PDB file of all heavy atoms in Angstrom:
ATOM      1  N   LYS A 192     -27.843 -48.287  28.506  1.00 87.00           N
ATOM      2  CA  LYS A 192     -27.334 -47.268  29.430  1.00 87.00           C
ATOM      3  C   LYS A 192     -27.668 -47.647  30.865  1.00 87.00           C
ATOM      4  O   LYS A 192     -26.822 -47.522  31.761  1.00 87.00           O
ATOM      5  CB  LYS A 192     -27.941 -45.902  29.098  1.00 87.00           C
ATOM      6  CG  LYS A 192     -27.527 -45.338  27.762  1.00 87.00           C
ATOM      7  CD  LYS A 192     -28.174 -44.001  27.490  1.00 87.00           C
ATOM      8  CE  LYS A 192     -29.666 -44.127  27.265  1.00 87.00           C
ATOM      9  NZ  LYS A 192     -30.285 -42.831  26.903  1.00 87.00           N
ATOM     10  N   ARG A 261     -27.671 -40.215  14.594  1.00 83.00           N
ATOM     11  CA  ARG A 261     -26.774 -39.997  15.733  1.00 83.00           C
ATOM     12  C   ARG A 261     -25.299 -40.005  15.340  1.00 83.00           C
ATOM     13  O   ARG A 261     -24.552 -39.087  15.735  1.00 83.00           O
ATOM     14  CB  ARG A 261     -27.065 -41.024  16.835  1.00 83.00           C
ATOM     15  CG  ARG A 261     -26.359 -40.709  18.144  1.00 83.00           C
ATOM     16  CD  ARG A 261     -26.803 -41.665  19.234  1.00 83.00           C
ATOM     17  NE  ARG A 261     -28.186 -41.425  19.614  1.00 83.00           N
ATOM     18  CZ  ARG A 261     -29.023 -42.371  20.017  1.00 83.00           C
ATOM     19  NH1 ARG A 261     -28.627 -43.620  20.055  1.00 83.00           N
ATOM     20  NH2 ARG A 261     -30.256 -42.069  20.378  1.00 83.00           N
ATOM     21  N   CYS A 318     -32.190 -33.631  18.558  1.00 88.00           N
ATOM     22  CA  CYS A 318     -31.693 -33.560  19.953  1.00 88.00           C
ATOM     23  C   CYS A 318     -31.697 -34.957  20.560  1.00 88.00           C
ATOM     24  O   CYS A 318     -32.200 -35.181  21.653  1.00 88.00           O
ATOM     25  CB  CYS A 318     -32.525 -32.586  20.781  1.00 88.00           C
ATOM     26  SG  CYS A 318     -34.302 -32.904  20.779  1.00 88.00           S
ATOM     27  N   ASP A 319     -31.091 -35.902  19.838  1.00 85.00           N
ATOM     28  CA  ASP A 319     -31.088 -37.311  20.221  1.00 85.00           C
ATOM     29  C   ASP A 319     -29.936 -37.664  21.149  1.00 85.00           C
ATOM     30  O   ASP A 319     -29.864 -38.777  21.669  1.00 85.00           O
ATOM     31  CB  ASP A 319     -31.022 -38.172  18.956  1.00 85.00           C
ATOM     32  CG  ASP A 319     -31.626 -39.541  19.169  1.00 85.00           C
ATOM     33  OD1 ASP A 319     -32.514 -39.661  20.024  1.00 85.00           O
ATOM     34  OD2 ASP A 319     -31.192 -40.487  18.486  1.00 85.00           O
ATOM     35  N   ALA A 320     -28.992 -36.743  21.344  1.00 88.00           N
ATOM     36  CA  ALA A 320     -27.850 -36.961  22.233  1.00 88.00           C
ATOM     37  C   ALA A 320     -27.357 -35.597  22.704  1.00 88.00           C
ATOM     38  O   ALA A 320     -27.439 -34.606  21.970  1.00 88.00           O
ATOM     39  CB  ALA A 320     -26.739 -37.717  21.512  1.00 88.00           C
ATOM     40  N   TYR A 321     -26.820 -35.552  23.919  1.00 93.00           N
ATOM     41  CA  TYR A 321     -26.405 -34.268  24.486  1.00 93.00           C
ATOM     42  C   TYR A 321     -25.017 -33.844  24.019  1.00 93.00           C
ATOM     43  O   TYR A 321     -24.789 -32.678  23.708  1.00 93.00           O
ATOM     44  CB  TYR A 321     -26.426 -34.329  26.009  1.00 93.00           C
ATOM     45  CG  TYR A 321     -26.029 -33.024  26.663  1.00 93.00           C
ATOM     46  CD1 TYR A 321     -26.911 -31.957  26.709  1.00 93.00           C
ATOM     47  CD2 TYR A 321     -24.757 -32.837  27.203  1.00 93.00           C
ATOM     48  CE1 TYR A 321     -26.558 -30.743  27.280  1.00 93.00           C
ATOM     49  CE2 TYR A 321     -24.392 -31.638  27.779  1.00 93.00           C
ATOM     50  CZ  TYR A 321     -25.292 -30.595  27.829  1.00 93.00           C
ATOM     51  OH  TYR A 321     -24.925 -29.402  28.388  1.00 93.00           O
ATOM     52  N   TYR A 322     -24.075 -34.784  23.948  1.00 93.00           N
ATOM     53  CA  TYR A 322     -22.695 -34.416  23.655  1.00 93.00           C
ATOM     54  C   TYR A 322     -22.513 -33.644  22.344  1.00 93.00           C
ATOM     55  O   TYR A 322     -21.730 -32.677  22.307  1.00 93.00           O
ATOM     56  CB  TYR A 322     -21.803 -35.660  23.659  1.00 93.00           C
ATOM     57  CG  TYR A 322     -21.585 -36.248  25.043  1.00 93.00           C
ATOM     58  CD1 TYR A 322     -21.687 -37.611  25.262  1.00 93.00           C
ATOM     59  CD2 TYR A 322     -21.281 -35.429  26.129  1.00 93.00           C
ATOM     60  CE1 TYR A 322     -21.494 -38.155  26.526  1.00 93.00           C
ATOM     61  CE2 TYR A 322     -21.090 -35.956  27.400  1.00 93.00           C
ATOM     62  CZ  TYR A 322     -21.196 -37.325  27.598  1.00 93.00           C
ATOM     63  OH  TYR A 322     -21.011 -37.846  28.849  1.00 93.00           O
ATOM     64  N   GLU A 375     -25.935 -41.221  30.238  1.00 91.00           N
ATOM     65  CA  GLU A 375     -27.182 -40.832  29.579  1.00 91.00           C
ATOM     66  C   GLU A 375     -26.946 -39.833  28.453  1.00 91.00           C
ATOM     67  O   GLU A 375     -27.671 -39.832  27.452  1.00 91.00           O
ATOM     68  CB  GLU A 375     -28.150 -40.233  30.603  1.00 91.00           C
ATOM     69  CG  GLU A 375     -28.721 -41.220  31.607  1.00 91.00           C
ATOM     70  CD  GLU A 375     -29.717 -42.181  30.990  1.00 91.00           C
ATOM     71  OE1 GLU A 375     -30.286 -41.848  29.939  1.00 91.00           O
ATOM     72  OE2 GLU A 375     -29.914 -43.265  31.566  1.00 91.00           O
ATOM     73  N   SER A 376     -25.929 -38.991  28.596  1.00 91.00           N
ATOM     74  CA  SER A 376     -25.687 -37.935  27.606  1.00 91.00           C
ATOM     75  C   SER A 376     -25.171 -38.471  26.285  1.00 91.00           C
ATOM     76  O   SER A 376     -25.160 -37.743  25.285  1.00 91.00           O
ATOM     77  CB  SER A 376     -24.708 -36.905  28.174  1.00 91.00           C
ATOM     78  OG  SER A 376     -25.260 -36.247  29.297  1.00 91.00           O
ATOM     79  N   THR A 377     -24.738 -39.738  26.250  1.00 87.00           N
ATOM     80  CA  THR A 377     -24.254 -40.314  24.999  1.00 87.00           C
ATOM     81  C   THR A 377     -25.392 -40.459  23.993  1.00 87.00           C
ATOM     82  O   THR A 377     -25.200 -40.268  22.787  1.00 87.00           O
ATOM     83  CB  THR A 377     -23.611 -41.693  25.227  1.00 87.00           C
ATOM     84  OG1 THR A 377     -24.577 -42.572  25.837  1.00 87.00           O
ATOM     85  CG2 THR A 377     -22.393 -41.576  26.122  1.00 87.00           C
ATOM     86  N   THR A 378     -26.575 -40.826  24.468  1.00 84.00           N
ATOM     87  CA  THR A 378     -27.706 -41.088  23.565  1.00 84.00           C
ATOM     88  C   THR A 378     -29.005 -40.493  24.093  1.00 84.00           C
ATOM     89  O   THR A 378     -30.081 -41.067  23.916  1.00 84.00           O
ATOM     90  CB  THR A 378     -27.883 -42.606  23.366  1.00 84.00           C
ATOM     91  OG1 THR A 378     -28.044 -43.222  24.646  1.00 84.00           O
ATOM     92  CG2 THR A 378     -26.695 -43.214  22.654  1.00 84.00           C
ATOM     93  N   GLY A 379     -28.927 -39.367  24.748  1.00 86.00           N
ATOM     94  CA  GLY A 379     -30.124 -38.741  25.278  1.00 86.00           C
ATOM     95  C   GLY A 379     -29.810 -37.373  25.851  1.00 86.00           C
ATOM     96  O   GLY A 379     -28.656 -36.946  25.902  1.00 86.00           O
ATOM     97  N   THR A 380     -30.859 -36.686  26.299  1.00 89.00           N
ATOM     98  CA  THR A 380     -30.694 -35.340  26.857  1.00 89.00           C
ATOM     99  C   THR A 380     -31.316 -35.249  28.253  1.00 89.00           C
ATOM    100  O   THR A 380     -31.913 -34.238  28.608  1.00 89.00           O
ATOM    101  CB  THR A 380     -31.328 -34.292  25.930  1.00 89.00           C
ATOM    102  OG1 THR A 380     -32.718 -34.629  25.716  1.00 89.00           O
ATOM    103  CG2 THR A 380     -30.616 -34.228  24.601  1.00 89.00           C
ATOM    104  N   MET A 381     -31.191 -36.321  29.031  1.00 90.00           N
ATOM    105  CA  MET A 381     -31.742 -36.338  30.386  1.00 90.00           C
ATOM    106  C   MET A 381     -31.200 -35.179  31.230  1.00 90.00           C
ATOM    107  O   MET A 381     -31.888 -34.658  32.103  1.00 90.00           O
ATOM    108  CB  MET A 381     -31.414 -37.659  31.085  1.00 90.00           C
ATOM    109  CG  MET A 381     -32.158 -38.860  30.569  1.00 90.00           C
ATOM    110  SD  MET A 381     -33.902 -38.865  31.032  1.00 90.00           S
ATOM    111  CE  MET A 381     -34.343 -40.536  30.523  1.00 90.00           C
TER     112      MET A 381
END
Side-chain angles (χ1 to χ4, degrees):
K192 294 179 291 184
R261 191 174 291 147
C318 54
D319 206 28
Y321 181 76
Y322 289 135
E375 290 289 337
S376 296
T377 58
T378 56
T380 56
M381 289 288 190

